[in-house]
Amino acid sequence: MLFAISRRGWLTMISAEEVLAKLFELRKEYNDDPEDPMYQALHHACLFISYKIGDFKDYLAEAELQEEDDE
């Protein structure tokens, strides 16, 4: 589960857009070699999640509910 600390010090789940932004940041680190398998994996993950952002948001919401149930 991906979490961030809010300004009030609470643990909050990272939004789908924030996850995607982090993936794009990671992809930039490997931008110098587009043949690198890590770059390819990050590139395709970024494309897929961008294309299916609604489904990814649904997944994160479901995962958050599951996490709450497990506590």
mmCIF file of all heavy atoms in Angstrom, residues 1 3 11 63-71:
data_model
loop_
_atom_site.group_PDB
_atom_site.id
_atom_site.type_symbol
_atom_site.label_atom_id
_atom_site.label_comp_id
_atom_site.label_asym_id
_atom_site.label_seq_id
_atom_site.Cartn_x
_atom_site.Cartn_y
_atom_site.Cartn_z
ATOM 1 N N MET A 1 0.848 -1.172 0.000
ATOM 2 C CA MET A 1 0.000 0.000 0.000
ATOM 3 C C MET A 1 0.895 1.236 0.000
ATOM 4 O O MET A 1 1.899 1.281 0.684
ATOM 5 C CB MET A 1 -0.877 -0.045 1.244
ATOM 6 C CG MET A 1 -1.916 1.021 1.301
ATOM 7 S SD MET A 1 -3.182 0.981 0.026
ATOM 8 C CE MET A 1 -3.827 -0.640 0.176
ATOM 9 N N PHE A 3 1.438 5.071 0.924
ATOM 10 C CA PHE A 3 0.919 6.081 1.827
ATOM 11 C C PHE A 3 1.830 7.297 1.830
ATOM 12 O O PHE A 3 2.998 7.217 1.489
ATOM 13 C CB PHE A 3 0.820 5.539 3.261
ATOM 14 C CG PHE A 3 -0.226 4.487 3.427
ATOM 15 C CD1 PHE A 3 0.106 3.155 3.359
ATOM 16 C CD2 PHE A 3 -1.547 4.837 3.642
ATOM 17 C CE1 PHE A 3 -0.854 2.172 3.518
ATOM 18 C CE2 PHE A 3 -2.516 3.874 3.795
ATOM 19 C CZ PHE A 3 -2.173 2.532 3.728
ATOM 20 N N LEU A 11 -1.501 9.480 8.263
ATOM 21 C CA LEU A 11 -1.141 8.607 7.153
ATOM 22 C C LEU A 11 -2.309 8.598 6.168
ATOM 23 O O LEU A 11 -3.423 8.283 6.530
ATOM 24 C CB LEU A 11 -0.901 7.193 7.691
ATOM 25 C CG LEU A 11 0.121 6.341 7.001
ATOM 26 C CD1 LEU A 11 1.474 7.024 7.008
ATOM 27 C CD2 LEU A 11 0.216 5.004 7.673
ATOM 28 N N ALA A 63 -8.377 -1.380 -2.684
ATOM 29 C CA ALA A 63 -7.237 -1.786 -1.866
ATOM 30 C C ALA A 63 -7.279 -1.065 -0.517
ATOM 31 O O ALA A 63 -6.953 -1.661 0.518
ATOM 32 C CB ALA A 63 -5.930 -1.489 -2.590
ATOM 33 N N GLU A 64 -7.683 0.195 -0.518
ATOM 34 C CA GLU A 64 -7.767 0.942 0.727
ATOM 35 C C GLU A 64 -8.845 0.348 1.625
ATOM 36 O O GLU A 64 -8.640 0.185 2.832
ATOM 37 C CB GLU A 64 -8.064 2.419 0.440
ATOM 38 C CG GLU A 64 -8.084 3.282 1.676
ATOM 39 C CD GLU A 64 -8.272 4.757 1.370
ATOM 40 O OE1 GLU A 64 -8.842 5.092 0.333
ATOM 41 O OE2 GLU A 64 -7.844 5.563 2.212
ATOM 42 N N LEU A 65 -9.999 -0.015 1.041
ATOM 43 C CA LEU A 65 -11.058 -0.640 1.835
ATOM 44 C C LEU A 65 -10.594 -1.972 2.400
ATOM 45 O O LEU A 65 -10.877 -2.302 3.560
ATOM 46 C CB LEU A 65 -12.306 -0.842 0.977
ATOM 47 C CG LEU A 65 -13.080 0.412 0.601
ATOM 48 C CD1 LEU A 65 -14.210 0.064 -0.359
ATOM 49 C CD2 LEU A 65 -13.607 1.121 1.833
ATOM 50 N N GLN A 66 -9.884 -2.750 1.596
ATOM 51 C CA GLN A 66 -9.373 -4.033 2.050
ATOM 52 C C GLN A 66 -8.387 -3.840 3.205
ATOM 53 O O GLN A 66 -8.405 -4.597 4.168
ATOM 54 C CB GLN A 66 -8.690 -4.776 0.898
ATOM 55 C CG GLN A 66 -8.174 -6.133 1.258
ATOM 56 C CD GLN A 66 -9.291 -7.094 1.639
ATOM 57 O OE1 GLN A 66 -10.341 -7.105 1.009
ATOM 58 N NE2 GLN A 66 -9.081 -7.882 2.664
ATOM 59 N N GLU A 67 -7.553 -2.827 3.092
ATOM 60 C CA GLU A 67 -6.580 -2.527 4.143
ATOM 61 C C GLU A 67 -7.298 -2.183 5.436
ATOM 62 O O GLU A 67 -6.902 -2.611 6.518
ATOM 63 C CB GLU A 67 -5.676 -1.381 3.701
ATOM 64 C CG GLU A 67 -4.552 -1.067 4.644
ATOM 65 C CD GLU A 67 -3.447 -2.105 4.635
ATOM 66 O OE1 GLU A 67 -3.303 -2.825 3.642
ATOM 67 O OE2 GLU A 67 -2.731 -2.194 5.636
ATOM 68 N N GLU A 68 -8.387 -1.397 5.339
ATOM 69 C CA GLU A 68 -9.153 -1.029 6.534
ATOM 70 C C GLU A 68 -9.799 -2.257 7.161
ATOM 71 O O GLU A 68 -9.860 -2.373 8.369
ATOM 72 C CB GLU A 68 -10.212 0.010 6.181
ATOM 73 C CG GLU A 68 -9.646 1.361 5.841
ATOM 74 C CD GLU A 68 -10.691 2.331 5.310
ATOM 75 O OE1 GLU A 68 -11.882 1.961 5.233
ATOM 76 O OE2 GLU A 68 -10.312 3.462 4.952
ATOM 77 N N ASP A 69 -10.295 -3.162 6.333
ATOM 78 C CA ASP A 69 -10.921 -4.387 6.827
ATOM 79 C C ASP A 69 -9.911 -5.281 7.531
ATOM 80 O O ASP A 69 -10.252 -5.994 8.474
ATOM 81 C CB ASP A 69 -11.589 -5.170 5.696
ATOM 82 C CG ASP A 69 -12.833 -4.485 5.164
ATOM 83 O OD1 ASP A 69 -13.366 -3.582 5.870
ATOM 84 O OD2 ASP A 69 -13.289 -4.850 4.070
ATOM 85 N N ASP A 70 -8.671 -5.267 7.061
ATOM 86 C CA ASP A 70 -7.629 -6.108 7.635
ATOM 87 C C ASP A 70 -7.145 -5.615 9.001
ATOM 88 O O ASP A 70 -6.528 -6.350 9.747
ATOM 89 C CB ASP A 70 -6.433 -6.225 6.685
ATOM 90 C CG ASP A 70 -6.766 -7.044 5.451
ATOM 91 O OD1 ASP A 70 -7.797 -7.751 5.451
ATOM 92 O OD2 ASP A 70 -6.002 -6.957 4.462
ATOM 93 N N GLU A 71 -7.404 -4.355 9.298
ATOM 94 C CA GLU A 71 -6.918 -3.776 10.567
ATOM 95 C C GLU A 71 -7.769 -4.177 11.688
ATOM 96 O O GLU A 71 -8.417 -4.662 12.228
ATOM 97 C CB GLU A 71 -6.891 -2.245 10.489
ATOM 98 C CG GLU A 71 -5.835 -1.759 9.553
ATOM 99 C CD GLU A 71 -5.851 -0.237 9.402
ATOM 100 O OE1 GLU A 71 -6.742 0.425 9.947
ATOM 101 O OE2 GLU A 71 -4.974 0.267 8.719
#
